[in-house]
Structure formats: structure tokens, C-alpha cells
Amino acid sequence: AGSICCGDAAPLGGDTPRSAALSLLDTQARCRLMDAFGEIDFEQCGVIDRKAWARYVREAWAEEPLLPRRAFLGLFDDMAGPVGGAEDITCEAFEAFFGSYMVGDVDFALVVRALATQRACSCDKVDPGLRSVLEQSHKE
């Protein structure tokens, strides 16, 4: 699947080179996130249902020896939000859930693995330090 975001990406703005660079990183992160959504939405219907998410987990994480598959599958309910029970995850809900973790040029798979690890460890909520861990992991 090709990129579905670049035409929708937020325009670059700001007056300083730093703000332009941060805006570019945000745009790149959003594009990677939307590319991931497009790959998971293999039917290209604009939503991810449980079946599509389960297929993604089965294919992308088949070689994951340490984390139980249910940790990855449970992220679907986390994307649905506090009310849960959603049958479909929209692009907006996907971006709202994963967007805050897509910092810099962090890889989507790393974000998914980190969140699944926390889920497998039965953490009540995401650790505020996760963002810096993701940033540091990607730099190494």
C-alpha cells in the first residue's frame, strides 16, 4: 500500500529553523503512522476491524518469542478508548492513540512492541517516561 498521508500532511510552519525542523519531524511521523494504517487496512476501506488487526498481529509479530499475542491483540481495545467495544478503528482514532508515541523518526513497530510489552506486564496506564525510552531506543 502506498502512502495515504502525504497529501493530507499538515503544512510546515514556523518562523525559526528549529520550528520548521520540528514541524517536518511531526509530518514525517504522521506519514509513517498513516502508512502503517494503510498497511493494516488491507481492504482499504478506511477502518481497521478486529479481523484486520488480528491479521496484522499474526503476520507482523509471528516471530515474537517473548510477548504473548494477546498483548498485541489487546491494543485494539486500547485504541477504541475508554468506552471500548468498538468494532472498527477509524484513521482518526488510530492516529489519536499512536500519534503521541510517534516522536522524531521512531519506527511504528517499536511503538507497537513497547505498548504490547506494557500491556503484557499488566501496567494500568502508559508510563510517562515511555516517550523518552522510545526516542533513546531509536537513536541507538
Side-chain angles (χ1 to χ4, degrees):
S3 175
I4 60 170
C5 78
C6 291
D8 299 331
L12 296 178
D15 299 324
T16 67
R18 178 168 166 68
S19 64
L22 290 174
S23 181
L24 178 59
L25 284 175
D26 288 345
T27 300
Q28 291 170 339
R30 184 170 184 268
C31 282
R32 283 192 315 283
L33 190 57
M34 294 301 95
D35 286 345
F37 182 89
E39 289 174 20
I40 298 167
D41 177 21
F42 65 96
E43 293 179 351
Q44 300 299 303
C45 59
V47 296
I48 297 172
D49 61 13
R50 288 183 188 276
K51 181 179 173 184
W53 183 253
R55 178 179 178 258
Y56 165 72
V57 167
R58 185 177 59 250
E59 292 175 1
W61 304 104
E63 303 293 320
E64 175 56 58
L66 300 175
L67 293 173
R69 187 171 289 175
R70 70 179 180 281
F72 292 98
L73 293 172
L75 292 175
F76 186 91
D77 293 321
D78 294 345
M79 283 185 271
V83 287
E87 293 303 315
D88 296 319
I89 302 299
T90 64
C91 187
E92 291 79 17
F94 185 84
E95 184 176 8
F97 180 74
F98 288 111
S100 64
Y101 305 108
M102 294 296 294
V103 293
D105 57 355
V106 71
D107 182 55
F108 178 72
L110 177 63
V111 170
V112 172
R113 181 176 284 121
L115 293 173
T117 300
Q118 278 202 316
R119 196 168 219 295
C121 294
S122 300
C123 297
D124 289 337
K125 56 184 175 178
V126 175
D127 179 6
L130 179 60
R131 173 177 238 147
S132 63
V133 170
L134 292 172
E135 289 173 329
Q136 292 304 314
S137 295
H138 188 70
K139 288 178 184 176
E140 294 175 359

